[in-house]
Amino acid sequence: HIGGLMFSQGSPLLQAHLTNRFQTKSKIPLLVSLDAEWGLAMRLDSTIVFPYQMTLGAINNPEYVYKMGKEVARQCKRIGVHMNFAPVADINSNPKNPVIGVRSFGENKEKVAKNSIAYMKGLQDSKVIAVGKHFPGHGDTDKDSHLTLPLVKHNKNRIENIELYPFRAMVKDSLLAMMVAHLYIPAYESRANRPTSLSYTSVTTLLKDSLGFEGLVITDGMGMKGVTK
C-alpha cells in the first residue's frame, strides 16, 4: 500500500493523466506531491514560472507572496497535487552556498520567517499542504547536499537564534509538514557524519520534542549523496 507519489518531470497533461490512472487503481487514495517552489514550472513544462524566493523577498510585501501561494495551490489542485515541497525557509547567510541562494527569501531571519509563513498560508488556505524546508537550516553551508554531506559547525545557541528561527515561527503558526535536510550538525549529533535526516536527536528530540511539531515529517531526496555516501 504505497502511501504517495512524487512527480519530478513531464507535462501537466501527462501528470494529470497518470495521477487519475494511479488513483483509480489504488484502493487507498494516494498523497500526490510536487517540488514546486516557483510554481509547477520547477518540474513541468508548459506552465507559469513564478519568481524565485529571493526576488519575492526583495519585493518586501508578504501579501504578494501569500497571493502567489494561493495561485500555485490552485494550479497544483488542477493536476491532482495535494502537497507542495515549499517554501524554502533557509536563511541565505553564506554567499558561497551552491544550492540555496536565490531559493531563499533573504539573509534576514525575520523577513525569511514572514515570507515563509505567507507562502505557507497561501498554499494551506487553499487546501494544499505546505512543506517547510530544509530543516534545521541549509542556508549557511558551502556544499550541496545533492553531491555530498555538508557540515554545519555552529553551536546550539547560534542555530537556535538564527537557523531555527523561521522554522519555529512556521511551526508555531500552522505548518502541516516539514522536510529534514541531509546535513551533519555536530551540535545535535555526536555520531560522525550522521545526517540530520537519519538522526533521532535532530528529528525527534529537536523537531518534535523541542519545537513541538506534530505534523508530517519527511526527508529530502533519499537518492542524494548527502545520505547515500
Side-chain angles (χ1 to χ4, degrees):
H1 301 297
I2 294 172
L5 287 170
M6 175 181 130
F7 287 86
S8 291
Q9 61 182 24
S11 70
L13 187 64
L14 177 60
Q15 180 163 327
H17 173 76
L18 289 171
T19 298
N20 290 337
R21 177 180 165 194
F22 297 143
Q23 292 286 25
T24 301
K25 289 182 177 294
S26 180
K27 293 178 182 177
I28 301 169
L30 297 165
L31 183 69
V32 179
S33 60
L34 190 72
D35 208 2
E37 294 167 22
W38 51 89
L40 306 188
M42 183 168 172
R43 296 296 178 188
L44 306 178
D45 62 30
S46 315
T47 52
I48 294 170
V49 183
F50 289 93
Y52 290 133
Q53 288 189 189
M54 182 179 281
T55 305
L56 297 170
I59 293 170
N60 209 24
N61 189 337
E63 185 180 341
Y64 288 125
V65 180
Y66 173 81
K67 289 178 178 178
M68 189 197 83
K70 285 187 74 72
E71 176 57 23
V72 170
R74 186 187 72 83
Q75 294 183 20
C76 282
K77 289 195 293 185
R78 286 196 69 187
I79 59 170
V81 169
H82 312 111
M83 180 163 70
N84 181 7
F85 295 129
V88 172
D90 301 310
I91 298 166
N92 189 35
S93 55
N94 189 333
K96 294 182 179 178
N97 195 313
V99 67
I100 302 301
V102 296
R103 297 167 66 197
S104 166
F105 284 116
E107 69 279 4
N108 178 282
K109 66 179 184 180
E110 284 91 359
K111 176 186 282 189
V112 171
K114 285 178 182 177
N115 284 290
S116 294
I117 288 172
Y119 194 172
M120 171 194 79
K121 282 182 172 290
L123 292 170
Q124 293 183 171
D125 286 355
S126 300
K127 306 293 188 264
V128 169
I129 297 169
V131 184
K133 64 183 189 185
H134 306 80
F135 184 86
H138 204 322
D140 194 3
T141 65
D142 58 5
K143 298 287 190 300
D144 180 351
S145 54
H146 292 87
L147 308 175
T148 189
L149 179 63
L151 169 65
V152 178
K153 298 178 181 178
H154 301 305
N155 60 34
K156 284 186 180 181
N157 186 56
R158 146 73 194 231
I159 295 170
E160 289 279 334
N161 286 317
I162 304 296
E163 276 74 17
L164 288 178
Y165 185 90
F167 296 106
R168 187 185 294 107
M170 294 171 77
V171 169
K172 192 175 180 181
D173 193 291
S174 58
L175 183 67
L176 292 174
M178 188 80 83
M179 179 188 289
V180 183
H182 307 306
L183 303 168
Y184 175 42
I185 309 179
Y188 290 105
E189 179 54 63
S190 58
R191 292 170 292 181
N193 296 318
R194 170 68 58 145
T196 42
S197 53
L198 306 180
S199 166
Y200 182 91
T201 52
S202 300
V203 178
T204 301
T205 308
L206 177 59
L207 177 57
K208 295 183 178 181
D209 296 343
S210 181
L211 268 65
F213 185 62
E214 297 181 339
L216 178 65
V217 180
I218 61 171
T219 68
D220 209 342
M222 293 302 284
M224 294 165 62
K225 291 291 197 318
V227 67
T228 59
K229 279 180 75 175

